Amino acid sequence: MKIKFLGGADEIGSSCSLIEIANSKILIDCGFRHHERAGEKIPAFSEIGKDLDAIILTHAHIDHSGALPVAASSYPNTPIYLTQPTLSIVATLLLDTLKIMELGLEADGEVPIYSLRQIENALSSCRPISFNTKLKIKDLEITFRPAGHILGAASVVIESDEGSIVFSGDVHAIDQLTVPALTVPHNKPDVFVIESTYGNKLHTSRALEEKRLIERIRTVVEGKGSVLIPAFAVGRSQELILLVSRAIEKGELPKIPVYVDGLVKSVCGIYNSFPYLLTSWLQKRIKDKGNPFFQDKGFVTPIYDPKLRRDAARERSSIIISSSGMVTVGSPSSFYAGEFSRDPRCLIAISGYQDEESPGRKMLELAEKGKGKLLTSKGEVNLSCAIEKFSFSAHSDAYQVTSELEASKPRRVVLVHGDGGAREALAKHLSTLGFKDIHLPNLGGEIEIGGRKEKRSQVTFSDKDSGKNNSKDTNQDTNQEINQSITNSNDIDDLINSTSEEQTGVLLATNGSLQIEHLTPLAEKLAIRDRDSRAYTITEILISAGYQPNQITSSEIERVKIVLKSKNSPFSQDRSSKLVWRLRLLPGNRIATKKANFTDHDVSNIVKRAFASEPTLYKVGINKSTRSVTIKFYFPKPILARHKETLEQLTEQTGWLMEIADSVHQEELSKLALSLIPAQWEAKSVSFILDKEIVAVKANTFDQKVLDEINRVFQDKTAFKLEIQVPKVVVINSTTINADGSTSQAVKQRLEINAAYAKVKEGFAKQLHQLIRVGLKGEALELTFITPEIGKRYERLMNEIGNEIGYTLVVRQNPDQNKLQQTVKDLLPNEWFLAGEPSINLAKQEITIKPLSKLTIDTQDILRLKQEFFDQTGWQLLVKA
């Protein structure tokens, strides 16, 4: 046996090793470098030779999979073996990598190293294999063992009569929030090729690091700042979303918005598709919450529209988790870094490994200096915010690698995937523990392994380069005959695969022949399993339809493409990549099918005709890229109840996905309420409690019977309840007379009510925020501020005054909307003019303004305005371009 290291040996990136057994060759990983080495970003594929029998991917990260299309193009008949989650993630990452390379072509003229067609060919050659299932080809057996690094990550065990080899891939030895720890792949292998990324380090306690990050976020938020966490799209981001979500749910962080952007969103959907490979904690979360990352009306919001990034970046306080993890220029995290870096209240929390030439590494260097300029998607910006590093590595450290090797007891150890002295330090440590045969190959290095009876070789180390002379085993047994081989891609009849539905993800029995009649039941089962819309390669669809790997061929893939494009197909080809397919889902994960090819203008007219009898329709929103329609009514809830079947029929008729927006039109709600109230009640103002679906109207008097009749009409039209608020009749001879005529005995030892009012007003006379009014509410005094959030700031003072006057003081829970709008206007610079009145969102405690488009507005003015508005109201101010 011979192992040649074509990349990733003495570096982190471009992982690729060639194993030669008899007359056959297997390639382990096909990685991509972020930066060139000797003029190359890809492994030395020219060393492979004419033929290649199999390619094996340990996991999906680009430094292990990014050059796969190049290898697959050079060896088009070679099968690619990987786990099913790895296939799902690889498809997403390769398409994103191509997009980045195409942007590089536009910016720098750098030609992409592969095309969309080459990605498609590579994905068509993929053959998913389950964990712990032996891939048996003649006398060679290959097994994937869980590596604990990210979803689908595997250590690869190769066994034959000549001996056994283990390739660790990237490994993690402890449970994460998402995936369980590795399992020891093989007992006493002849060769163990293992990563050494952190071979010279010990990780800090994961629990302590999580606590440090949460405490730091809380400090920033309390200081009215926001936190950006650039994170790798696969693995790290999912961990951080769950960590932050758990902290908010447990009350360790306030309930502030959490935004998720970049490739992260797509990968979260893939994690959701494989619950049986996740930790028991995350499986329970999926069972309880459905989507474990994003819930309807939750505090974690994925950003799908790039136009919303600016608002999210300028919102205070918030948390943003975004790719890329190295803050690559052009990525969403680079955009956010450009916004955050100028605000000293903010924090950029670096969460993982940073390549030497990456912007993330530059950030850390600038943070040490305390100043400097940073290149971001917004150009060069001065660094004013805090930047700190947190350790959330999904790689094993020196102690964990050592523990895995001690448990496995290999005859030889080969250390790869390490730089900066990490391999050398780990090798010295292993030598002290009794490991005698340790190899540190360099790029292009080769290790030749004879029979099992050969003598072990003792490795010695020099101070300069402990691994330079150890790239070839000098104890080769030249008389050993090597006669085992594996077959090519046309000879995999002996492939053994698990029949467990849970392991393989098989959802539908099609006997290896997917037909049109199978599409809808398959789509329904995928919608139930995945709980959310995500992209699928055709290979994934076939595996889900019950195909065995030897039934997936290029000709079958081409045939299924035609089936998926059939007239009544519930699958829709992605418009940008053309390589992946999506389910056509209605709200509630119901399946839609496509019919005639209507234009957006046709669809708009069809919708308007369908709802011609509903006078509250005011907008039909068309999204051509997703072929979806958002229909807006003044009062959507009753419409949705009456027209559920109409939506389904429209979708079936047009092939466009139909949904009714759930936001109510507050101005029309107010108009209708006031129009129904008799003039003699002297209605004064209207406020909304949106989460309780209540419209509150202040009036001087009311009649309950008449109000009940009005409410029947009002609730039928709007689904909201109408409440009338009238002044209270205060204490007379120790008895409180309420507006409805009921009475209650006042608490003794209270100040007379007018004296109590005076005491309250005196207590707030010199405070920063104005007390708008004070009035009796039941047995308590209700204090009105511009918003209830401001009132909460004075809880201690209210308790002190309440104890003194003998009343409980409470804060009115409705804001003064007129004062909110006026406060914004008062804060605006004189040269600003608004395109309409400020709009209020009660549910989110925010107010939005839209300056006239011709204005040139300085970012610092916006930041100042937002801060002043928050100081005065406790609400967020959004400024739309």
Side-chain angles (χ1 to χ4, degrees):
M1 291 185 287
K2 184 188 294 183
I3 308 174
K4 183 175 285 189
F5 298 91
L6 311 184
D10 53 352
E11 60 182 327
I12 297 175
S14 195
S15 289
C16 185
S17 302
L18 179 68
I19 303 174
E20 297 185 50
I21 303 178
N23 296 317
S24 299
K25 299 176 183 177
I26 301 174
L27 200 64
I28 306 289
D29 287 338
C30 303
F32 183 82
R33 293 186 184 94
H34 289 286
H35 299 284
E36 292 182 356
R37 178 174 179 177
E40 292 290 344
K41 286 190 174 183
I42 62 175
F45 291 136
S46 59
E47 297 292 318
I48 297 173
K50 184 178 180 181
D51 299 315
L52 185 65
D53 297 288
I55 299 173
I56 295 175
L57 285 191
T58 60
H59 66 287
H61 276 148
I62 287 297
D63 61 330
H64 291 255
S65 70
L68 186 63
V70 179
S73 295
S74 300
Y75 303 95
N77 296 319
T78 301
I80 302 167
Y81 297 110
L82 68 181
T83 64
Q84 191 176 345
T86 296
L87 170 60
S88 302
I89 299 171
V90 159
T92 301
L93 294 186
L94 289 179
L95 291 170
D96 185 69
T97 301
L98 177 61
K99 186 192 304 180
I100 293 171
M101 290 192 293
E102 289 173 341
L103 291 173
L105 175 62
E106 293 178 9
D108 308 318
E110 185 175 355
V111 179
I113 63 173
Y114 47 75
S115 65
L116 189 65
R117 182 65 180 174
Q118 286 175 293
I119 295 177
E120 182 177 26
N121 291 339
L123 297 177
S124 297
S125 298
C126 288
R127 305 291 178 261
I129 304 298
S130 299
F131 282 117
N132 304 315
T133 297
K134 289 189 182 297
L135 172 62
K136 188 173 182 180
I137 306 172
K138 292 188 176 178
D139 295 327
L140 189 72
E141 291 183 343
I142 298 174
T143 310
F144 287 156
R145 304 288 191 195
H149 177 59
I150 61 171
L151 178 67
S155 294
V156 180
V157 181
I158 303 172
E159 298 175 272
S160 73
D161 289 341
E162 291 185 3
S164 56
I165 306 174
V166 173
F167 273 81
S168 73
D170 290 349
V171 293
H172 196 51
I174 61 173
D175 285 353
Q176 301 179 68
L177 292 177
T178 51
V179 294
L182 61 83
T183 58
V184 176
H186 193 62
N187 188 37
K188 297 182 179 179
D190 293 287
V191 183
F192 201 133
V193 183
I194 193 166
E195 68 139 318
S196 56
T197 312
Y198 291 96
N200 57 350
K201 294 180 181 178
L202 297 179
H203 295 322
T204 56
S205 162
R206 180 63 175 257
L208 291 177
E209 200 69 353
E210 290 176 356
K211 182 179 179 182
R212 185 169 76 90
L213 175 63
I214 295 303
E215 289 178 348
R216 188 69 180 92
I217 291 174
R218 186 172 65 244
T219 300
V220 172
V221 168
E222 289 174 351
K224 301 168 186 174
S226 292
V227 179
L228 167 65
I229 311 179
F232 298 124
V234 183
R236 188 69 47 80
S237 292
Q238 289 71 42
E239 290 285 314
L240 289 164
I241 294 170
L242 294 172
L243 174 63
V244 169
S245 297
R246 186 179 65 178
I248 294 176
E249 290 162 5
K250 293 169 65 176
E252 296 170 355
L253 288 175
K255 291 183 178 179
I256 59 173
V258 180
Y259 297 108
V260 176
D261 203 351
L263 193 64
V264 182
K265 306 183 295 289
S266 298
V267 177
C268 286
I270 296 171
Y271 268 66
N272 202 25
S273 297
F274 299 94
Y276 58 92
L277 295 177
L278 305 176
T279 59
S280 56
W281 176 83
L282 189 49
Q283 289 182 41
K284 184 178 185 302
R285 185 177 179 85
I286 291 173
K287 183 178 180 181
D288 293 342
K289 297 180 178 292
N291 190 316
F293 304 103
F294 313 120
Q295 290 93 49
D296 292 340
K297 299 182 180 179
F299 38 79
V300 182
T301 303
I303 294 180
Y304 291 106
D305 186 351
K307 295 178 182 178
L308 300 178
R309 284 176 182 158
R310 186 179 301 275
D311 290 338
R314 296 179 179 180
E315 184 169 353
R316 301 291 181 268
S317 297
S318 67
I319 301 168
I320 297 177
I321 300 170
S322 178
S323 56
S324 79
M326 295 189 191
V327 206
T328 306
V329 175
S331 68
S333 64
S334 182
F335 169 83
Y336 293 118
E339 293 284 347
F340 275 47
S341 59
R342 293 176 290 194
D343 189 342
R345 298 171 300 173
C346 291
L347 167 69
I348 300 177
I350 301 296
S351 64
Y353 174 81
Q354 302 297 311
D355 185 83
E356 287 186 5
E357 299 181 42
S358 68
R361 176 69 67 91
K362 178 70 171 177
M363 279 185 177
L364 294 173
E365 293 169 357
L366 292 178
E368 291 179 3
K369 296 177 183 177
K371 61 180 181 179
K373 289 185 178 294
L374 180 69
L375 180 62
T376 71
S377 298
K378 297 179 68 63
E380 280 198 337
V381 295
N382 286 315
L383 184 64
S384 299
C385 73
I387 295 177
E388 297 178 25
K389 186 173 182 179
F390 297 83
S391 178
F392 288 96
S393 177
H395 294 267
S396 290
D397 63 13
Y399 170 77
Q400 293 161 352
V401 170
T402 300
S403 298
E404 183 178 1
L405 290 173
E406 287 183 315
S408 186
K409 299 180 176 63
R411 296 180 67 206
R412 297 174 184 81
V413 175
V414 182
L415 300 180
V416 297
H417 201 282
D419 59 10
R423 296 191 307 156
E424 289 78 4
L426 182 57
K428 289 180 180 179
H429 177 61
L430 292 173
S431 183
T432 64
L433 297 176
F435 288 90
K436 303 299 183 184
D437 226 340
I438 308 171
H439 300 255
L440 282 71
N442 296 315
L443 178 63
E446 186 177 290
I447 297 175
E448 200 161 335
I449 302 150
R452 284 180 167 171
K453 295 182 180 179
E454 63 169 317
K455 295 180 180 178
R456 295 175 183 266
S457 61
Q458 175 66 47
V459 177
T460 59
F461 304 96
S462 65
D463 291 336
K464 292 183 179 179
D465 187 355
S466 60
K468 188 172 291 184
N469 298 318
N470 297 316
S471 61
K472 187 165 184 176
D473 190 338
T474 58
N475 290 319
Q476 174 190 1
D477 185 351
T478 57
N479 296 320
Q480 176 71 25
E481 292 186 6
I482 304 175
N483 51 25
Q484 308 298 327
S485 65
I486 63 172
T487 64
N488 61 27
S489 61
N490 296 319
D491 186 16
I492 55 174
D493 293 337
D494 293 330
L495 180 66
I496 301 172
N497 213 345
S498 169
T499 57
S500 164
E501 178 173 337
E502 183 178 64
Q503 282 192 311
T504 63
V506 173
L507 295 170
L508 200 70
T510 60
N511 298 318
S513 180
L514 186 67
Q515 304 297 331
I516 293 175
E517 61 266 24
H518 296 137
L519 294 181
T520 298
L522 175 61
E524 290 171 345
K525 288 178 178 292
L526 284 171
I528 292 170
R529 186 193 75 180
D530 295 343
R531 301 173 179 82
D532 202 357
S533 177
R534 74 169 182 86
Y536 303 90
T537 63
I538 291 184
T539 302
E540 290 179 83
I541 292 172
L542 297 183
I543 290 293
S544 297
Y547 281 62
Q548 295 299 310
N550 61 339
Q551 295 174 311
I552 303 173
T553 63
S554 297
S555 59
E556 179 64 6
I557 286 173
E558 291 302 317
R559 184 190 71 81
V560 170
K561 275 187 187 178
I562 298 172
V563 174
L564 293 175
K565 291 180 179 179
S566 60
K567 183 177 180 181
N568 294 318
S569 173
F571 290 88
S572 177
Q573 192 172 24
D574 188 273
R575 288 173 172 266
S576 57
S577 74
K578 303 294 184 183
L579 298 189
V580 292
W581 300 73
R582 299 180 183 276
L583 297 179
R584 300 173 58 77
L585 292 179
L586 291 166
N589 278 15
R590 290 172 293 123
I591 300 298
T593 57
K594 61 184 179 183
K595 291 286 186 182
N597 188 24
F598 291 97
T599 67
D600 54 337
H601 182 71
D602 294 334
V603 170
S604 179
N605 287 335
I606 290 171
V607 170
K608 290 174 182 177
R609 286 197 297 270
F611 291 101
S613 62
E614 298 290 352
T616 61
L617 171 67
Y618 69 95
K619 186 175 182 180
V620 177
I622 301 290
N623 188 326
K624 290 191 285 188
S625 62
T626 60
R627 291 175 63 84
S628 61
V629 181
T630 302
I631 313 164
K632 294 188 176 182
F633 294 86
Y634 292 147
F635 319 121
K637 194 171 181 179
I639 301 293
L640 188 58
R642 291 197 294 270
H643 289 283
K644 184 178 180 181
E645 290 185 2
T646 305
L647 290 176
E648 295 176 354
Q649 291 167 1
L650 286 173
T651 297
E652 181 67 20
Q653 176 187 354
T654 65
W656 289 61
L657 302 182
M658 302 283 169
E659 63 177 353
I660 292 177
D662 60 2
S663 56
V664 70
H665 196 295
Q666 295 183 27
E667 183 178 351
E668 294 297 325
L669 195 63
S670 176
K671 286 181 180 178
L672 179 61
L674 293 174
S675 70
L676 294 173
I677 294 174
Q680 59 268 29
W681 291 5
E682 298 181 0
K684 298 177 179 178
S685 63
V686 180
S687 58
F688 309 100
I689 308 174
L690 295 180
D691 57 336
K692 296 181 179 179
E693 296 185 333
I694 292 175
V695 177
V697 179
K698 284 192 173 182
N700 282 339
T701 186
F702 74 99
D703 181 283
Q704 187 62 49
K705 289 184 178 180
V706 176
L707 178 61
D708 290 343
E709 185 60 36
I710 291 173
N711 248 324
R712 277 191 285 272
V713 176
F714 190 69
Q715 286 184 291
D716 181 62
K717 289 187 174 184
T718 68
F720 275 68
K721 181 182 179 182
L722 188 61
E723 288 187 354
I724 303 297
Q725 298 177 346
V726 298
K728 302 287 185 182
V729 180
V730 295
V731 177
I732 300 176
N733 294 329
S734 300
T735 299
T736 298
I737 305 175
N738 301 309
D740 60 2
S742 63
T743 61
S744 57
Q745 200 68 23
V747 178
K748 293 181 179 180
Q749 298 181 341
R750 288 178 172 173
L751 288 182
E752 186 271 332
I753 190 63
N754 290 320
Y757 288 161
K759 204 69 176 176
V760 171
K761 292 174 182 178
E762 179 185 341
F764 280 90
K766 296 181 180 181
Q767 299 304 318
L768 182 62
H769 299 90
Q770 177 192 5
L771 172 63
I772 296 174
R773 67 182 65 86
V774 57
L776 193 65
K777 185 173 184 179
E779 294 295 318
L781 295 187
E782 183 181 65
L783 278 59
T784 300
F785 297 89
I786 189 169
T787 67
E789 286 68 33
I790 290 298
K792 291 176 183 176
R793 299 182 186 180
Y794 292 98
E795 287 181 351
R796 179 179 296 179
L797 178 60
M798 289 167 62
N799 288 334
E800 292 174 356
I801 297 174
N803 291 335
E804 183 179 351
I805 66 177
Y807 284 90
T808 298
L809 303 187
V810 298
V811 175
R812 186 173 184 268
Q813 292 305 300
N814 293 323
D816 190 314
Q817 298 186 44
N818 291 330
K819 283 192 177 294
L820 273 171
Q821 291 179 322
Q822 190 58 49
T823 299
V824 176
K825 296 174 184 177
D826 292 343
L827 291 173
L828 293 178
N830 293 332
E831 63 273 17
W832 282 32
F833 295 94
L834 300 182
E837 285 291 305
S839 62
I840 294 173
N841 188 323
L842 295 173
K844 293 185 177 181
Q845 294 88 49
E846 62 188 25
I847 189 167
T848 303
I849 60 173
K850 186 175 182 179
L852 292 177
S853 57
K854 65 182 180 180
L855 291 175
T856 301
I857 300 175
D858 185 79
T859 302
Q860 292 301 321
D861 285 341
I862 295 177
L863 292 175
R864 176 195 57 77
L865 180 62
K866 286 189 170 191
Q867 186 58 54
E868 290 181 357
F869 185 74
F870 180 82
D871 291 342
Q872 293 191 28
T873 68
W875 277 34
Q876 299 294 334
L877 176 65
L878 302 183
V879 181
K880 285 194 173 181

